[in-house]
Coordinates of all heavy atoms in Angstrom, one line a residue:
M1 N 0.8 -1.2 0.0 CA 0.0 0.0 0.0 C 0.9 1.3 0.0 O 0.5 2.2 -0.6 CB -0.9 -0.1 1.2 CG -2.0 0.9 1.2 SD -3.1 0.5 -0.1 CE -4.3 1.8 0.1
E2 N 2.0 1.2 0.8 CA 2.9 2.3 0.8 C 3.5 2.6 -0.6 O 3.7 3.7 -1.0 CB 4.0 2.0 1.8 CG 5.0 3.1 2.0 CD 4.4 4.4 2.6 OE1 3.4 4.3 3.3 OE2 5.0 5.5 2.4
L3 N 3.8 1.5 -1.3 CA 4.4 1.7 -2.6 C 3.4 2.4 -3.6 O 3.8 3.3 -4.3 CB 4.8 0.3 -3.2 CG 5.3 0.3 -4.6 CD1 6.6 1.1 -4.7 CD2 5.5 -1.1 -5.1
L4 N 2.1 2.0 -3.5 CA 1.1 2.6 -4.3 C 0.9 4.1 -4.0 O 0.8 4.9 -4.9 CB -0.2 1.9 -4.1 CG -1.4 2.4 -5.0 CD1 -1.1 2.2 -6.5 CD2 -2.6 1.6 -4.6
R5 N 1.0 4.4 -2.7 CA 0.8 5.8 -2.3 C 2.0 6.6 -2.8 O 1.8 7.7 -3.3 CB 0.8 5.8 -0.7 CG 0.6 7.2 -0.2 CD 0.2 7.2 1.3 NE 1.0 7.7 2.3 CZ 2.0 8.5 2.4 NH1 2.5 9.0 1.3 NH2 2.6 8.9 3.5
R6 N 3.2 6.1 -2.7 CA 4.4 6.8 -3.2 C 4.3 7.0 -4.7 O 4.7 8.1 -5.2 CB 5.7 6.0 -2.8 CG 6.1 6.2 -1.4 CD 7.4 5.5 -1.1 NE 7.8 5.8 0.2 CZ 9.0 5.7 0.6 NH1 10.0 5.4 -0.2 NH2 9.4 6.0 1.9
L7 N 3.9 6.0 -5.4 CA 3.8 6.1 -6.9 C 2.8 7.2 -7.3 O 3.0 8.0 -8.2 CB 3.4 4.8 -7.5 CG 4.5 3.7 -7.6 CD1 3.9 2.4 -8.1 CD2 5.6 4.2 -8.5
V8 N 1.6 7.2 -6.6 CA 0.6 8.2 -6.9 C 1.1 9.6 -6.5 O 1.0 10.5 -7.3 CB -0.7 7.9 -6.1 CG1 -1.7 9.0 -6.2 CG2 -1.3 6.6 -6.6
L9 N 1.7 9.8 -5.4 CA 2.3 11.1 -5.0 C 3.4 11.5 -5.9 O 3.5 12.7 -6.3 CB 2.8 11.0 -3.5 CG 1.7 11.0 -2.5 CD1 2.3 10.9 -1.1 CD2 0.8 12.3 -2.5
G10 N 4.3 10.6 -6.3 CA 5.3 10.9 -7.3 C 4.8 11.4 -8.6 O 5.2 12.3 -9.2
S11 N 3.8 10.6 -9.1 CA 3.1 11.0 -10.4 C 2.5 12.4 -10.3 O 2.5 13.1 -11.2 CB 2.1 9.9 -10.7 OG 2.7 8.7 -10.9
L12 N 1.8 12.6 -9.2 CA 1.2 13.9 -9.0 C 2.2 15.1 -9.0 O 2.0 16.1 -9.5 CB 0.3 13.9 -7.7 CG -1.0 13.2 -7.8 CD1 -1.7 13.1 -6.4 CD2 -1.9 13.7 -8.8
M13 N 3.3 14.8 -8.3 CA 4.4 15.8 -8.3 C 4.9 16.1 -9.7 O 5.1 17.3 -10.0 CB 5.5 15.4 -7.3 CG 5.1 15.5 -5.8 SD 6.4 15.0 -4.7 CE 7.6 16.2 -5.0
V14 N 5.2 15.0 -10.4 CA 5.7 15.2 -11.8 C 4.7 15.9 -12.6 O 5.0 16.9 -13.4 CB 6.1 13.8 -12.4 CG1 6.3 14.0 -13.9 CG2 7.3 13.3 -11.7
A15 N 3.4 15.5 -12.5 CA 2.3 16.2 -13.3 C 2.2 17.6 -12.9 O 2.0 18.5 -13.8 CB 1.0 15.4 -13.1
G16 N 2.3 17.9 -11.6 CA 2.1 19.3 -11.2 C 3.3 20.2 -11.6 O 3.1 21.3 -12.1
T17 N 4.5 19.7 -11.5 CA 5.6 20.4 -12.0 C 5.6 20.7 -13.5 O 5.9 21.8 -14.0 CB 6.9 19.6 -11.7 OG1 7.0 19.4 -10.3 CG2 8.2 20.4 -12.1
T18 N 5.2 19.6 -14.3 CA 5.0 19.8 -15.7 C 3.9 20.8 -16.0 O 4.1 21.7 -16.9 CB 4.7 18.5 -16.4 OG1 5.7 17.5 -16.0 CG2 4.5 18.6 -17.9
G19 N 2.8 20.8 -15.3 CA 1.8 21.8 -15.5 C 2.2 23.2 -15.2 O 1.9 24.1 -15.9
L20 N 3.0 23.3 -14.1 CA 3.5 24.7 -13.8 C 4.5 25.2 -14.9 O 4.4 26.3 -15.3 CB 4.3 24.7 -12.5 CG 3.4 24.6 -11.2 CD1 4.3 24.5 -10.0 CD2 2.6 25.9 -11.1
G21 N 5.3 24.3 -15.4 CA 6.2 24.6 -16.5 C 5.5 25.1 -17.8 O 5.8 26.1 -18.4
V22 N 4.5 24.3 -18.2 CA 3.7 24.6 -19.3 C 2.9 25.9 -19.1 O 2.8 26.8 -20.0 CB 2.7 23.5 -19.7 CG1 1.7 23.9 -20.7 CG2 3.5 22.2 -20.1
G23 N 2.4 26.1 -17.9 CA 1.7 27.4 -17.6 C 2.6 28.6 -17.7 O 2.2 29.6 -18.3
A24 N 3.8 28.5 -17.2 CA 4.7 29.6 -17.2 C 5.2 29.9 -18.7 O 5.3 31.0 -19.1 CB 6.0 29.3 -16.4
W25 N 5.4 28.8 -19.4 CA 5.7 28.9 -20.8 C 4.6 29.7 -21.6 O 4.9 30.5 -22.4 CB 6.0 27.6 -21.4 CG 6.3 27.6 -22.9 CD1 7.5 28.1 -23.5 CD2 5.5 27.1 -24.0 NE1 7.4 27.9 -24.8 CE2 6.2 27.4 -25.2 CE3 4.3 26.6 -24.0 CZ2 5.7 27.0 -26.4 CZ3 3.7 26.3 -25.3 CH2 4.5 26.5 -26.4
A26 N 3.4 29.3 -21.3 CA 2.2 29.9 -22.0 C 2.1 31.4 -21.7 O 1.7 32.2 -22.5 CB 0.9 29.2 -21.7
L27 N 2.5 31.8 -20.4 CA 2.4 33.2 -20.0 C 3.5 34.0 -20.7 O 3.2 35.2 -21.0 CB 2.6 33.3 -18.5 CG 1.4 32.9 -17.7 CD1 1.7 32.9 -16.2 CD2 0.2 33.8 -18.0
V28 N 4.7 33.5 -20.9 CA 5.8 34.3 -21.5 C 5.8 34.2 -23.0 O 6.5 35.0 -23.6 CB 7.1 33.9 -20.9 CG1 7.2 34.1 -19.4 CG2 7.5 32.5 -21.2
M29 N 5.1 33.3 -23.6 CA 5.1 33.3 -25.1 C 4.4 34.5 -25.6 O 3.4 34.9 -25.2 CB 4.3 32.0 -25.6 CG 5.2 30.8 -25.7 SD 6.5 30.9 -26.8 CE 5.7 30.9 -28.4
P30 N 5.0 35.1 -26.7 CA 4.4 36.3 -27.2 C 3.1 35.9 -28.0 O 3.1 34.8 -28.6 CB 5.4 36.9 -28.2 CG 6.4 35.8 -28.4 CD 6.3 34.9 -27.3
R31 N 2.1 36.7 -28.0 CA 0.9 36.4 -28.7 C 1.1 36.6 -30.2 O 2.2 37.1 -30.7 CB -0.2 37.3 -28.2 CG -0.5 37.2 -26.8 CD -1.1 35.8 -26.5 NE -1.3 35.7 -25.0 CZ -0.9 34.6 -24.3 NH1 -0.3 33.7 -24.9 NH2 -1.2 34.6 -23.0
E32 N 0.1 36.3 -31.0 CA 0.3 36.3 -32.5 C 0.6 37.7 -33.0 O 1.5 37.8 -33.9 CB -1.0 35.8 -33.1 CG -1.0 35.7 -34.6 CD 0.0 34.6 -35.0 OE1 0.2 33.6 -34.3 OE2 0.6 34.7 -36.1
Q33 N 0.0 38.7 -32.5 CA 0.3 40.1 -32.9 C 1.7 40.5 -32.6 O 2.4 41.0 -33.5 CB -0.7 41.1 -32.3 CG -0.4 42.5 -32.8 CD -1.4 43.5 -32.1 OE1 -2.2 43.1 -31.2 NE2 -1.4 44.7 -32.5
R34 N 2.2 40.1 -31.5 CA 3.6 40.4 -31.1 C 4.6 39.6 -32.0 O 5.6 40.1 -32.3 CB 3.8 40.1 -29.6 CG 5.2 40.4 -29.1 CD 5.6 41.8 -29.2 NE 7.0 42.0 -28.8 CZ 7.9 42.8 -29.4 NH1 7.5 43.6 -30.3 NH2 9.1 42.8 -28.9
R35 N 4.2 38.4 -32.3 CA 5.1 37.6 -33.2 C 5.2 38.2 -34.5 O 6.3 38.2 -35.1 CB 4.5 36.2 -33.3 CG 4.8 35.2 -32.2 CD 4.4 33.8 -32.6 NE 3.8 33.2 -31.4 CZ 2.9 32.3 -31.4 NH1 2.5 31.8 -32.5 NH2 2.5 31.8 -30.3
R36 N 4.1 38.8 -35.0 CA 4.2 39.5 -36.3 C 5.1 40.7 -36.3 O 5.8 41.0 -37.2 CB 2.8 39.9 -36.8 CG 2.0 38.7 -37.2 CD 0.6 39.1 -37.8 NE -0.2 38.0 -38.1 CZ -1.5 37.9 -37.9 NH1 -2.1 39.0 -37.4 NH2 -2.2 36.8 -38.2
E37 N 5.0 41.4 -35.2 CA 5.9 42.6 -35.0 C 7.3 42.2 -34.9 O 8.2 42.9 -35.5 CB 5.5 43.4 -33.7 CG 4.1 44.0 -33.8 CD 3.7 44.6 -32.4 OE1 4.6 44.6 -31.5 OE2 2.6 45.1 -32.3
I38 N 7.6 41.2 -34.2 CA 9.0 40.7 -34.1 C 9.5 40.2 -35.5 O 10.6 40.5 -35.9 CB 9.1 39.5 -33.1 CG1 8.8 40.0 -31.7 CG2 10.4 38.8 -33.2 CD1 8.7 39.0 -30.6
A39 N 8.7 39.5 -36.3 CA 9.0 39.1 -37.6 C 9.3 40.2 -38.5 O 10.3 40.2 -39.3 CB 8.0 38.2 -38.2
K40 N 8.6 41.3 -38.4 CA 8.9 42.5 -39.2 C 10.2 43.2 -38.9 O 10.8 43.7 -39.8 CB 7.7 43.5 -39.0 CG 6.4 43.1 -39.7 CD 5.4 44.2 -39.5 CE 4.0 43.7 -40.0 NZ 3.0 44.7 -39.7
E41 N 10.6 43.1 -37.6 CA 11.8 43.7 -37.2 C 13.1 42.9 -37.5 O 14.2 43.4 -37.3 CB 11.7 44.0 -35.7 CG 10.6 45.1 -35.4 CD 10.4 45.2 -33.9 OE1 11.1 44.6 -33.1 OE2 9.5 46.0 -33.6
L42 N 12.9 41.6 -37.8 CA 14.1 40.8 -38.1 C 14.9 41.3 -39.3 O 14.4 41.8 -40.2 CB 13.6 39.3 -38.3 CG 13.1 38.6 -37.1 CD1 12.6 37.2 -37.6 CD2 14.1 38.4 -36.1
Q43 N 16.2 41.1 -39.2 CA 17.1 41.5 -40.2 C 16.8 40.8 -41.5 O 17.0 41.3 -42.6 CB 18.5 41.3 -39.8 CG 19.0 42.3 -38.7 CD 20.4 42.1 -38.4 OE1 21.1 41.2 -38.9 NE2 20.9 42.9 -37.5
E44 N 16.4 39.5 -41.4 CA 16.2 38.7 -42.6 C 15.0 39.2 -43.5 O 14.9 38.9 -44.7 CB 15.9 37.3 -42.2 CG 17.1 36.6 -41.7 CD 17.3 36.8 -40.2 OE1 16.4 37.4 -39.5 OE2 18.4 36.6 -39.7
T45 N 14.1 40.0 -42.9 CA 13.0 40.6 -43.7 C 13.4 41.9 -44.4 O 12.6 42.4 -45.2 CB 11.8 40.8 -42.8 OG1 12.1 41.7 -41.8 CG2 11.3 39.5 -42.2
N46 N 14.5 42.4 -44.2 CA 15.0 43.7 -44.8 C 15.6 43.4 -46.1 O 16.7 42.7 -46.2 CB 15.9 44.4 -43.8 CG 16.3 45.7 -44.3 OD1 16.0 46.1 -45.4 ND2 17.0 46.5 -43.4
P47 N 15.1 43.9 -47.2 CA 15.7 43.7 -48.5 C 17.2 44.2 -48.6 O 18.0 43.6 -49.3 CB 14.9 44.4 -49.5 CG 13.6 44.7 -48.8 CD 13.9 44.7 -47.3
V48 N 17.5 45.3 -47.9 CA 18.9 45.8 -48.0 C 19.8 44.8 -47.3 O 20.9 44.5 -47.8 CB 19.0 47.2 -47.3 CG1 20.4 47.6 -47.1 CG2 18.1 48.2 -48.0
R49 N 19.4 44.2 -46.2 CA 20.2 43.2 -45.5 C 20.4 41.9 -46.4 O 21.4 41.3 -46.4 CB 19.5 42.8 -44.2 CG 20.2 41.7 -43.4 CD 21.5 42.2 -42.9 NE 22.1 41.1 -42.1 CZ 23.3 40.7 -42.2 NH1 24.1 41.3 -43.1 NH2 23.8 39.7 -41.5
W50 N 19.3 41.6 -47.1 CA 19.4 40.4 -48.1 C 20.5 40.7 -49.1 O 21.3 39.8 -49.4 CB 18.1 40.2 -48.8 CG 17.0 39.5 -48.1 CD1 17.1 39.0 -46.8 CD2 15.7 39.2 -48.5 NE1 15.9 38.4 -46.5 CE2 15.1 38.5 -47.5 CE3 15.1 39.5 -49.7 CZ2 13.8 38.1 -47.7 CZ3 13.7 39.1 -49.8 CH2 13.1 38.4 -48.8
A51 N 20.5 41.9 -49.7 CA 21.5 42.3 -50.7 C 22.9 42.2 -50.1 O 23.8 41.7 -50.7 CB 21.2 43.6 -51.3
E52 N 23.1 42.7 -48.9 CA 24.4 42.7 -48.2 C 24.8 41.2 -48.0 O 26.0 40.9 -48.3 CB 24.4 43.4 -46.9 CG 24.2 44.9 -47.0 CD 24.0 45.6 -45.7 OE1 23.9 44.9 -44.6 OE2 23.9 46.8 -45.6
T53 N 23.9 40.4 -47.5 CA 24.3 39.0 -47.3 C 24.6 38.3 -48.6 O 25.6 37.5 -48.7 CB 23.1 38.3 -46.6 OG1 22.8 39.0 -45.4 CG2 23.4 36.8 -46.3
R54 N 23.9 38.5 -49.6 CA 24.1 37.9 -50.9 C 25.5 38.4 -51.5 O 26.3 37.5 -51.9 CB 23.0 38.3 -51.9 CG 23.1 37.6 -53.2 CD 22.0 37.9 -54.2 NE 20.6 37.9 -53.5 CZ 19.8 38.9 -53.3 NH1 20.2 40.1 -53.7 NH2 18.7 38.8 -52.7
H55 N 25.8 39.6 -51.3 CA 27.1 40.1 -51.8 C 28.3 39.5 -51.0 O 29.3 39.1 -51.5 CB 27.2 41.7 -51.7 CG 28.4 42.3 -52.2 ND1 28.8 42.2 -53.5 CD2 29.4 43.0 -51.5 CE1 30.0 42.9 -53.6 NE2 30.3 43.3 -52.4
Q56 N 28.1 39.4 -49.7 CA 29.1 38.8 -48.8 C 29.3 37.3 -49.2 O 30.4 36.8 -49.3 CB 28.7 38.9 -47.4 CG 29.7 38.3 -46.4 CD 29.3 38.4 -45.0 OE1 28.3 39.0 -44.6 NE2 30.2 37.9 -44.1
N57 N 28.2 36.6 -49.5 CA 28.3 35.2 -49.9 C 29.0 35.1 -51.2 O 29.8 34.1 -51.4 CB 26.9 34.6 -49.9 CG 26.3 34.4 -48.6 OD1 27.0 34.4 -47.6 ND2 25.0 34.2 -48.5
E58 N 28.8 36.0 -52.1 CA 29.5 35.9 -53.4 C 31.0 36.1 -53.2 O 31.8 35.4 -53.9 CB 28.9 37.0 -54.3 CG 27.5 36.8 -54.8 CD 26.9 38.0 -55.6 OE1 27.6 39.0 -55.6 OE2 25.8 37.8 -56.1
R59 N 31.4 37.0 -52.3 CA 32.8 37.2 -52.1 C 33.4 36.0 -51.4 O 34.5 35.6 -51.8 CB 33.0 38.5 -51.2 CG 32.6 39.8 -51.9 CD 32.9 41.0 -51.1 NE 32.1 40.9 -49.9 CZ 32.2 41.8 -48.9 NH1 33.0 42.8 -49.0 NH2 31.4 41.7 -47.9
V60 N 32.7 35.4 -50.5 CA 33.3 34.2 -49.8 C 33.4 33.1 -50.9 O 34.4 32.4 -50.9 CB 32.4 33.8 -48.7 CG1 32.7 32.4 -48.1 CG2 32.4 34.8 -47.5
M61 N 32.4 32.9 -51.7 CA 32.5 31.8 -52.7 C 33.6 32.1 -53.7 O 34.3 31.2 -54.1 CB 31.1 31.7 -53.4 CG 30.0 31.2 -52.6 SD 30.4 29.6 -51.8 CE 30.5 28.5 -53.2
A62 N 33.9 33.4 -54.0 CA 35.0 33.7 -54.9 C 36.3 33.3 -54.3 O 37.2 32.8 -54.9 CB 35.0 35.2 -55.3
A63 N 36.4 33.6 -53.0 CA 37.7 33.3 -52.2 C 37.8 31.8 -52.2 O 39.0 31.3 -52.3 CB 37.6 33.9 -50.8
I64 N 36.8 31.0 -52.0 CA 36.9 29.6 -51.9 C 37.2 29.0 -53.3 O 38.1 28.1 -53.4 CB 35.5 29.0 -51.4 CG1 35.3 29.3 -50.0 CG2 35.5 27.5 -51.6 CD1 33.9 29.0 -49.4
K65 N 36.7 29.6 -54.3 CA 37.0 29.1 -55.7 C 38.5 29.4 -56.0 O 39.2 28.6 -56.5 CB 36.1 29.8 -56.7 CG 36.3 29.4 -58.1 CD 35.4 30.1 -59.1 CE 35.7 29.7 -60.5 NZ 34.9 30.4 -61.4
E66 N 38.9 30.6 -55.6 CA 40.4 30.9 -55.8 C 41.3 30.0 -55.1 O 42.3 29.5 -55.6 CB 40.6 32.4 -55.4 CG 42.0 32.8 -55.6 CD 42.3 34.2 -55.0 OE1 41.3 34.8 -54.5 OE2 43.5 34.6 -54.9
A67 N 40.9 29.6 -53.8 CA 41.7 28.7 -53.0 C 41.7 27.3 -53.6 O 42.7 26.6 -53.6 CB 41.2 28.7 -51.6
A68 N 40.6 26.9 -54.2 CA 40.5 25.6 -54.8 C 41.3 25.5 -56.1 O 41.8 24.4 -56.5 CB 39.1 25.2 -55.1
E69 N 41.5 26.6 -56.8 CA 42.2 26.6 -58.1 C 43.8 26.7 -57.9 O 44.5 26.7 -58.9 CB 41.7 27.7 -59.0 CG 40.3 27.5 -59.4 CD 39.7 28.7 -60.1 OE1 40.3 29.8 -60.1 OE2 38.6 28.5 -60.7
T70 N 44.3 26.9 -56.7 CA 45.7 27.1 -56.5 C 46.2 26.2 -55.5 O 45.5 25.7 -54.6 CB 46.0 28.6 -56.2 OG1 47.4 28.7 -56.1 CG2 45.4 28.9 -54.8
N71 N 47.5 25.9 -55.5 CA 48.2 25.1 -54.5 C 48.7 25.9 -53.4 O 49.2 25.4 -52.4 CB 49.3 24.2 -55.2 CG 48.7 23.1 -56.0 OD1 47.6 22.6 -55.7 ND2 49.5 22.7 -57.0
E72 N 48.7 27.2 -53.6 CA 49.2 28.2 -52.6 C 48.3 28.2 -51.4 O 47.1 28.0 -51.5 CB 49.3 29.6 -53.2 CG 49.8 30.6 -52.3 CD 49.8 32.0 -52.9 OE1 49.4 32.1 -54.1 OE2 50.0 33.0 -52.2
N73 N 48.9 28.4 -50.2 CA 48.1 28.5 -49.0 C 47.5 29.9 -48.9 O 48.2 30.9 -48.5 CB 49.0 28.2 -47.8 CG 48.2 28.2 -46.5 OD1 47.0 28.5 -46.5 ND2 48.9 27.8 -45.4
V74 N 46.3 30.1 -49.3 CA 45.7 31.4 -49.4 C 45.4 32.0 -48.0 O 45.2 33.2 -47.9 CB 44.4 31.4 -50.3 CG1 44.8 31.1 -51.7 CG2 43.4 30.5 -49.8
A75 N 45.4 31.2 -47.0 CA 45.1 31.7 -45.7 C 46.3 32.5 -45.2 O 46.1 33.4 -44.3 CB 44.9 30.5 -44.7
R76 N 47.5 32.3 -45.7 CA 48.6 33.1 -45.3 C 48.9 34.4 -46.1 O 49.7 35.1 -45.7 CB 49.9 32.2 -45.5 CG 49.8 30.9 -44.7 CD 50.5 31.2 -43.3 NE 50.5 29.9 -42.6 CZ 50.6 29.9 -41.3 NH1 50.7 31.0 -40.6 NH2 50.6 28.8 -40.6
R77 N 48.0 34.6 -47.0 CA 48.2 35.9 -47.8 C 47.8 37.1 -47.0 O 46.9 37.0 -46.1 CB 47.2 35.8 -49.0 CG 47.7 35.0 -50.1 CD 46.8 35.2 -51.3 NE 47.0 34.2 -52.3 CZ 46.2 34.0 -53.3 NH1 45.1 34.7 -53.4 NH2 46.5 33.0 -54.2
P78 N 48.3 38.3 -47.4 CA 47.8 39.5 -46.8 C 46.3 39.7 -47.1 O 45.9 39.2 -48.2 CB 48.6 40.6 -47.3 CG 49.6 40.0 -48.2 CD 49.4 38.5 -48.3
S79 N 45.6 40.4 -46.4 CA 44.2 40.5 -46.6 C 43.9 41.3 -47.9 O 44.2 42.4 -48.1 CB 43.6 41.4 -45.4 OG 42.2 41.4 -45.5
P80 N 43.1 40.6 -48.8 CA 42.7 41.3 -50.0 C 41.5 42.2 -49.9 O 41.0 42.3 -48.8 CB 42.4 40.1 -51.0 CG 42.0 39.0 -50.0 CD 42.7 39.2 -48.8
D81 N 41.1 42.8 -51.0 CA 40.0 43.8 -50.9 C 38.7 43.1 -50.5 O 37.9 43.8 -49.8 CB 39.8 44.4 -52.3 CG 41.0 45.3 -52.6 OD1 41.7 45.7 -51.7 OD2 41.1 45.6 -53.8
W82 N 38.4 41.9 -50.8 CA 37.1 41.3 -50.5 C 36.9 41.1 -49.0 O 35.7 41.0 -48.6 CB 37.0 39.9 -51.2 CG 38.0 38.9 -50.9 CD1 39.1 38.7 -51.6 CD2 38.0 38.0 -49.8 NE1 39.8 37.7 -51.0 CE2 39.2 37.2 -49.9 CE3 37.1 37.8 -48.7 CZ2 39.5 36.3 -49.0 CZ3 37.5 36.8 -47.8 CH2 38.6 36.1 -47.9
S83 N 37.9 41.2 -48.2 CA 37.6 41.0 -46.8 C 37.4 42.2 -46.0 O 37.1 42.2 -44.8 CB 38.8 40.3 -46.1 OG 40.0 41.1 -46.2
K84 N 37.4 43.4 -46.7 CA 37.2 44.6 -46.0 C 35.7 45.0 -46.1 O 35.0 44.7 -46.9 CB 38.0 45.7 -46.7 CG 39.5 45.5 -46.4 CD 40.3 46.5 -47.0 CE 41.8 46.2 -46.8 NZ 42.7 47.1 -47.4

């Protein structure tokens, strides 16, 4: 009987703790309107930021291509224009 009581009390404690965690999470989660505001403010939604990222990726890919086409250790070179 003692074992059954301990199992029930332990299960209730786990369920209660889980319930408190879910409740706290629900309270701090932003609502749908706030989520939309946050999404608008993200850098990824800015077209200027997209262009900058695309340009940076092009420069990195050019550096990787250059490194692949040569046997020279390009990591030891002085900093070229693309890294500025």
Side-chain angles (χ1 to χ4, degrees):
M1 192 66 180
E2 180 68 24
L3 177 65
L4 181 62
R5 183 166 114 20
R6 284 186 175 201
L7 285 173
V8 169
L9 286 177
S11 298
L12 287 175
M13 288 180 64
V14 168
T17 304
T18 303
L20 284 174
V22 169
W25 178 71
L27 285 175
V28 298
M29 271 300 286
R31 302 293 180 229
E32 186 63 31
Q33 182 179 5
R34 179 66 183 139
R35 277 191 220 151
R36 288 184 185 145
E37 291 173 8
I38 291 171
K40 286 179 185 177
E41 296 170 4
L42 289 176
Q43 291 182 353
E44 290 82 14
T45 60
N46 186 349
V48 174
R49 177 70 176 130
W50 280 359
E52 290 173 359
T53 302
R54 190 176 309 114
H55 183 64
Q56 180 180 1
N57 288 343
E58 289 170 357
R59 292 185 297 177
V60 169
M61 290 306 293
I64 291 172
K65 182 179 179 184
E66 178 186 354
E69 292 173 348
T70 183
N71 288 331
E72 181 185 353
N73 186 353
V74 294
R76 299 268 183 203
R77 284 188 191 166
S79 185
D81 292 337
W82 58 265
S83 67
K84 294 181 183 176

